[in-house]
Amino acid sequence: MLSRVASSIYWLNRYIERAENYARFIEVNLNLSLDLPRGTVEQWEPLVATTGDHDMFLERYGKATKETVIQFLVADSANPSSILSCLLAARENARSVREIISTEMWEQINRFYLMVTGAVARGMSSHNLHTFLAEVKAASHLLLGITDATMSHGEGWHFARLGRLLERADKTSRILDVKYFILLPTATEVGTPFDIIQWSDLLKSASALEMYYKRYGRISPNDVAAFLILDPTFPRAIRYCLIKGEDSLHAISGSDHGSHHNPAEKRLGRLRAELDFADIEDCIDVGLHEFVDHFQAQLNQVGAAISDTFFAPHPIHHAATAEGQ
């Protein structure tokens, strides 16, 4: 497969997953604002911190309010990670590999794109925002299902799955970090109804609340962190994403598990192994924020290694040297 094609499929799926996660973040914060005790100030700035674009937001908007944050995360074309920008980028990537993806995928991406651009053109209001966010999540899920059902599960499909899972692992770590690092209540508030509401909303943002209750029964901060970081079966847990992402990476390379033939396999395998042999006490002992920081740095290195291994064109003089040898 051409590196250009692989890159487009990979990034097409990362952008779609990012748009879905942004819709999740906003929806949960809207719901959380309804549950706040009387007199409590709504917290919109942590939402921007979740995305990692805090500095850009401050430069463009200054103060974080409900209106400015929603505009930044949904409709700001200058923000490369807004839902609008993600759909624009995803559609352009899909267009460049139109002959590789199925007609059904292309049509769904177009419908998704037209839905988002139409909603942005009409303007975001409190009346239609919940409907819009639900439609973004549904459109992403539909594209995932169509991709699985209509695309051969060869290299292209594995690049699509790899992109989606790495993006999902990154976003799950970010929402966990915000709760611990920014929304962490004072000692007197731990275990209060408000604290439980926040943890419940965090689980909702990952569509994890029902599965968490089936596993643990009641809300506990350490159990929530363990579920979202270390669970090997829940599809939005970080460890699950790394396990399945590594499966796709080996399928692309044709190498066996337990070995590595390129830097991408080495870095992803090492990161997955760290979680395989970790328990939540290991994560808490080093500080959950520090653990998440370390994880995100390692995940960025995995992304860079994938780009270098599969997407980046090799300089001509390297090829000439190799032939000479």
Side-chain angles (χ1 to χ4, degrees), residues 119-167:
V120 169
R122 289 190 296 275
M124 293 288 115
S125 69
S126 299
H127 178 69
N128 62 18
L129 186 57
H130 284 282
T131 302
F132 169 74
L133 298 173
E135 288 177 347
V136 169
K137 292 192 300 179
S140 174
H141 292 168
L142 184 55
L143 178 61
L144 174 61
I146 290 174
T147 302
D148 282 349
T150 65
M151 188 176 186
S152 297
H153 289 198
E155 282 187 350
W157 182 84
H158 282 293
F159 273 115
R161 187 169 76 154
L162 183 61
R164 183 178 282 265
L165 289 173
L166 292 188
E167 185 69 28

Side-chain angles (χ1 to χ4, degrees), residues 92-108:
E92 285 309 305
N93 277 285
R95 186 200 300 277
S96 70
V97 291
R98 178 67 188 83
E99 74 283 3
I100 303 296
I101 63 176
S102 68
T103 299
E104 289 84 355
M105 289 174 64
W106 172 243
E107 290 175 349
Q108 173 56 21

